[in-house]
């Protein structure tokens, strides 16, 4: 698209919208650009009377962005969430939520002072009752309207800048499908034009923190609708798997007997309807997904394009990825080389870490392998295997954090693709979360992985890994320094011996500076470093 065409489009663009707290989906909140709902505990905005939080202006990052998105002011997701609200609740201490009515991840209790650590477990190691409970929770989420959130059915312009609210209820499971769609969808540029090189949840540094928040919020919603405070999302460890072992009626749905693209009727997932899968249709209509049912879940694992994804990822590929010391590099997008994030996401070869977008590795490989609803980015969360998959991807991210122990400044502060700088708020979450806030170990966020709770010896080895890696990188310098040191030591030894020999030949009048007198033992040496 030419720069002239871009300039022309700026005048006819229609921004898009996101999910909203139900309490802020009204004319008053939109016109005031304020989302500071009352907390039920004291009926004050943000629980201010109870010192839980207060209504504050949003502080947006001013750091420069990368060159991938050449527009400004054309997409509602820019400078999230300022097109809708410029004042939201800022919570104090360990309080969290759009009205400061909840606790931060990892805390519980009436005053959010109690630390809590939950464990995500391998789905194949759950008992039958635990597995059945998880499946029942999934089905409950699919059939339970969200109490806290609604989605917009029109753009901000179509809402007449807030004076004509257009919202719709949605079930809890589909709310998260829609959020994933919204973060990754194309920018609508008017007419039949779109800008595809934009994604607030993928292809850039925020990929791993964004999906970490997505899973944490999903767990939180399940905990609320079920009352099961101990619930965690299980993971599927797909390393070295020969096929989709969770694609059975016992777990996530087997293959249909006569149509391999559908799920077995014996699985209740076969009755689920997908949403937000027709991106080209929305683009041609310059419209958003309005959560209309679009047919059953599609899945045909293993019958994918083998030239792109020949098999599921291996343990060796995961280990190589974990050895990469740079979180991000170069353009910080899908062309980044030697980037842990880009290699784990799957745009770089998992054996060389060189970008190769013609192949799909690690995270991307699993999506392509599923050969159905999972294989289309915007609608991939329709398949519940999405949750198991991303929980395991998050565990690999967690292993990297524990091995390399990066400081926060390792996460890019500037020049990342739009929405991915460290201080950018993640689209489309309300309450607001910054990317950098989730670039830290999972135990600080209240959860761990069963297979990472290793014996002390393994933990010690994991602790040593970053130092061993640093030693390996400077090994050549160490060897060189040792050789030079040996030569210097030999020269000094020769000089000392020569001096001693010379002293033996001197007269008795010539004495050394220090003798073995009793004064010698009283001399003290001080070194200043």
């Amino acid at each position: 698209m030419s720069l002239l065409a871009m300039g022309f489009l700026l005048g006819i663009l229609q921004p898009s919208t996101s999910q909203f707290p139900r309490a802020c989906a009204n004319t008053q909140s939109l016109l005031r650009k304020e989302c500071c709902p009352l907390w039920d505990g004291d009926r004050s905005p943000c629980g201010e009377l109870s010192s839980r939080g207060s209504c504050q202006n949003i502080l947006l990052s001013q750091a420069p962005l990368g060159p991938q998105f050449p527009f400004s002011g054309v997409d509602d997701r820019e400078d999230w969430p300022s097109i809708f609200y410029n004042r939201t609740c800022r919570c104090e201490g360990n309080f969290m939520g759009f009205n400061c009515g909840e606790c931060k991840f990892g805390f519980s209790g009436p005053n959010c002072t109690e630390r809590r650590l939950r464990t995500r477990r391998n789905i194949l190691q759950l008992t039958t009752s635990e597995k059945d409970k998880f499946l029942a929770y999934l089905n409950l989420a699919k059939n339970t309207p969200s109490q806290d959130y609604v989605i917009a059915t029109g753009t901000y312009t179509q809402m007449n800048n807030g004076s004509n609210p257009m919202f719709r209820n949605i079930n809890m499971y589909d709310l998260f499908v829609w959020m994933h769609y919204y973060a990754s969808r194309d920018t609508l540029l008017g007419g039949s034009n779109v800008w595809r090189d934009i994604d607030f949840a993928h292809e850039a540094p925020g990929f791993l923190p964004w999906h970490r928040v997505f899973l944490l919020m999903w767990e939180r919603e399940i905990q609320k609708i079920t009352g099961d405070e101990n619930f965690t999302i299980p993971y599927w460890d797909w390393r070295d798997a020969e096929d989709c072992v969770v694609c059975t009626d016992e777990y996530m749905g087997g293959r249909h007997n006569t149509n391999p693209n559908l799920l077995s009727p014996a699985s209740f997932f076969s009755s689920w309807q997908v949403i937000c899968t027709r991106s080209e249709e929305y683009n041609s209509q310059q419209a958003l997904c309005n959560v209309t049912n679009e047919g059953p879940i599609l899945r045909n694992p293993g019958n994918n394009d083998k030239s792109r994804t020949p098999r599921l990822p291996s343990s060796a590929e995961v280990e190589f990825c974990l050895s990469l010391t740079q979180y991000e590099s170069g353009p910080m997008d899908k062309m980044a080389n030697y980037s842990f994030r880009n290699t784990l996401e799957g745009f770089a070869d998992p054996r060389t870490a060189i970008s190769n977008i013609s192949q799909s590795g690690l995270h991307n490989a699993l999506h392509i392998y599923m050969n159905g609803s999972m294989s289309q980015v915007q609608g991939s969360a329709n398949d519940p295997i999405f949750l198991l998959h991303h929980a395991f991807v998050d565990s690999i991210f967690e292993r990297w954090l524990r091995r390399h122990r990066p400081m926060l400044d390792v996460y890019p502060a500037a020049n990342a693709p739009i929405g991915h700088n460290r201080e950018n708020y993640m689209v489309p979450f309300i309450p607001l979360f910054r990317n950098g806030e989730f670039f830290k170990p999972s135990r600080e966020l209240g959860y761990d992985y069963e297979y990472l709770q290793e014996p002390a010896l393994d933990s010690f080895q994991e602790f040593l890994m970053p130092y061993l890696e640093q030693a390996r990188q400077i090994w050549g310098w160490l060897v060189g320094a040792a050789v030079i040191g040996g030569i210097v030591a030999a020269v000094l030894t020769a000089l000392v011996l020569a001096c001693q020999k010379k002293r033996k030949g001197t007269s008795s009048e010539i004495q050394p500076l220090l003798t073995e007198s009793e004064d010698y033992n009283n001399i003290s040496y001080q070194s200043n470093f």
Side-chain angles (χ1 to χ4, degrees):
M1 183 180 295
S2 68
L3 292 177
L4 181 61
M6 290 180 189
F8 171 75
L9 289 169
L10 292 179
I12 59 173
L13 301 176
Q14 290 188 344
S16 55
T17 54
S18 174
Q19 47 64 263
F20 294 85
R22 187 180 296 275
C24 300
N26 55 68
T27 302
Q28 182 181 12
S29 296
L30 290 171
L31 292 180
R32 294 177 61 185
K33 284 186 170 290
E34 182 175 289
C35 184
C36 296
L38 304 180
W39 175 53
D40 290 339
D42 62 13
R43 302 302 297 168
S44 68
C46 312
E48 186 169 9
L49 294 178
S50 301
S51 300
R52 298 178 76 95
S54 58
C55 193
Q56 300 285 333
N57 292 332
I58 295 172
L59 301 177
L60 297 173
S61 170
Q62 301 301 314
L65 302 172
Q68 293 85 354
F69 188 69
F71 304 98
S72 178
V74 303
D75 192 312
D76 286 355
R77 299 170 295 181
E78 298 176 53
D79 288 327
W80 178 258
S82 60
I83 191 66
F84 303 110
Y85 310 112
N86 52 35
R87 286 172 62 81
T88 61
C89 288
R90 187 179 304 169
C91 304
E92 302 294 335
N94 296 327
F95 298 116
M96 190 188 84
F98 56 78
N99 63 354
C100 301
E102 299 179 0
C103 298
K104 284 184 177 179
F105 301 118
F107 290 89
S108 62
N111 295 312
C112 301
T113 55
E114 301 168 17
R115 273 281 186 182
R116 185 155 197 163
L117 186 68
R118 300 176 176 89
T119 301
R120 291 178 181 171
R121 300 171 57 200
N122 189 327
I123 190 171
L124 299 177
Q125 295 176 0
L126 299 181
T127 65
T128 300
S129 61
E130 290 170 337
K131 180 261 299 177
D132 289 345
K133 181 170 69 172
F134 169 62
L135 298 181
Y137 285 177
L138 286 171
N139 211 34
L140 178 65
K142 188 72 169 178
N143 292 281
T144 301
S146 172
Q147 296 299 308
D148 293 328
Y149 291 100
V150 292
I151 65 162
T153 57
T155 67
Y156 187 67
T157 298
Q158 290 168 345
M159 292 187 192
N160 195 22
N161 297 335
S163 62
N164 181 34
M166 300 168 64
F167 297 100
R168 181 175 178 177
N169 291 325
I170 190 170
N171 69 64
M172 198 224 96
Y173 188 95
D174 286 350
L175 169 68
F176 285 85
V177 176
W178 200 91
M179 290 163 64
H180 188 266
Y181 147 80
Y182 179 80
S184 57
R185 65 169 192 80
D186 303 329
T187 294
L188 306 178
L189 294 177
S192 59
N193 298 294
V194 298
W195 187 264
R196 301 181 188 277
D197 191 13
I198 185 171
D199 195 316
F200 290 82
H202 305 86
E203 303 180 15
F207 165 68
L208 293 166
W210 191 96
H211 286 83
R212 174 164 279 195
V213 172
F214 180 93
L215 296 178
L216 283 167
M217 290 194 68
W218 202 92
E219 282 179 333
R220 176 68 60 88
E221 291 302 307
I222 289 290
Q223 291 161 5
K224 288 195 294 188
I225 67 173
T226 64
D228 183 354
E229 295 185 353
N230 296 313
F231 170 77
T232 56
I233 298 170
Y235 59 87
W236 171 32
D237 183 348
W238 33 248
R239 291 173 296 180
D240 303 314
E242 295 184 0
D243 53 27
C244 180
V245 295
V246 297
C247 296
T248 66
D249 289 336
E250 181 184 1
Y251 288 97
M252 312 308 292
R255 198 187 303 268
H256 194 283
N257 288 332
T258 58
N259 187 339
N261 293 315
L262 298 179
L263 301 184
S264 163
S267 168
F268 58 68
F269 294 122
S270 65
S271 65
W272 279 25
Q273 290 283 305
V274 301
I275 62 170
C276 303
T277 63
R278 300 174 180 170
S279 58
E280 293 306 316
E281 179 180 317
Y282 315 142
N283 288 347
S284 66
Q285 297 174 355
Q286 293 288 292
L288 300 180
C289 163
N290 63 3
V291 301
T292 300
N293 290 337
E294 296 173 350
I297 293 174
L298 301 178
R299 188 197 300 156
N300 191 350
N303 290 321
N304 55 288
D305 181 359
K306 295 297 194 297
S307 65
R308 184 177 185 87
T309 305
R311 53 171 172 73
L312 289 170
S314 68
S315 296
E317 291 169 339
V318 171
E319 291 305 314
F320 173 78
C321 182
L322 287 168
S323 74
L324 298 171
T325 57
Q326 296 184 86
Y327 178 76
E328 197 55 88
S329 67
M332 295 182 276
D333 56 19
K334 60 186 176 184
M335 302 305 295
N337 294 325
Y338 307 112
S339 155
F340 165 74
R341 187 276 312 163
N342 202 37
T343 305
L344 178 54
E345 189 169 359
F347 293 108
D349 191 309
R351 297 161 298 179
T352 65
I354 300 297
S355 173
N356 184 359
I357 59 176
S358 67
Q359 300 289 307
S360 294
L362 296 180
H363 156 264
N364 287 350
L366 197 286
H367 279 279
I368 299 299
Y369 178 88
M370 287 300 159
N371 194 30
S373 300
M374 275 270 284
S375 306
Q376 191 259 355
V377 175
Q378 296 176 16
S380 58
N382 278 291
D383 191 329
I385 290 180
F386 178 96
L387 297 168
L388 311 181
H389 171 44
H390 273 277
F392 189 66
V393 170
D394 183 75
S395 79
I396 299 173
F397 176 36
E398 181 60 25
R399 290 182 64 190
W400 187 86
L401 289 171
R402 296 185 190 184
R403 176 177 297 190
H404 299 281
R405 301 173 184 268
M407 300 295 287
L408 178 59
D409 60 10
V410 169
Y411 189 99
N415 301 313
I418 185 171
H420 288 266
N421 282 341
R422 186 194 309 156
E423 298 301 313
N424 287 150
Y425 290 117
M426 298 182 189
V427 176
F429 301 120
I430 298 178
L432 303 178
F433 303 112
R434 297 185 190 272
N435 290 306
E437 294 172 357
F438 292 83
F439 191 72
K440 60 184 177 183
S442 67
R443 285 179 287 215
E444 295 183 28
L445 298 168
Y447 72 100
D448 201 353
Y449 287 93
E450 188 174 46
Y451 84 105
L452 298 185
Q453 298 173 335
E454 312 224 356
L457 181 62
D458 291 340
S459 297
F460 181 67
Q461 183 179 9
E462 188 85 0
F463 173 78
L464 286 178
M465 282 303 295
Y467 305 104
L468 295 174
E469 177 65 20
Q470 292 176 17
R472 183 190 66 78
Q473 293 175 1
I474 63 173
W475 179 249
W477 293 99
L478 292 175
V479 171
V483 171
I484 294 173
I487 294 173
V488 172
V491 171
L492 291 175
T493 300
L495 290 173
V496 170
L497 291 174
C499 290
Q500 289 177 345
K501 184 175 181 180
K502 185 175 181 180
R503 287 196 187 100
K504 289 180 181 180
T506 60
S507 64
S508 58
E509 288 82 8
I510 303 175
Q511 299 296 327
L513 182 63
L514 295 178
T515 66
E516 292 184 2
S517 68
E518 60 183 16
D519 293 333
Y520 177 83
N521 294 323
N522 293 329
I523 297 174
S524 65
Y525 290 86
Q526 294 181 347
S527 299
N528 295 315
F529 296 95

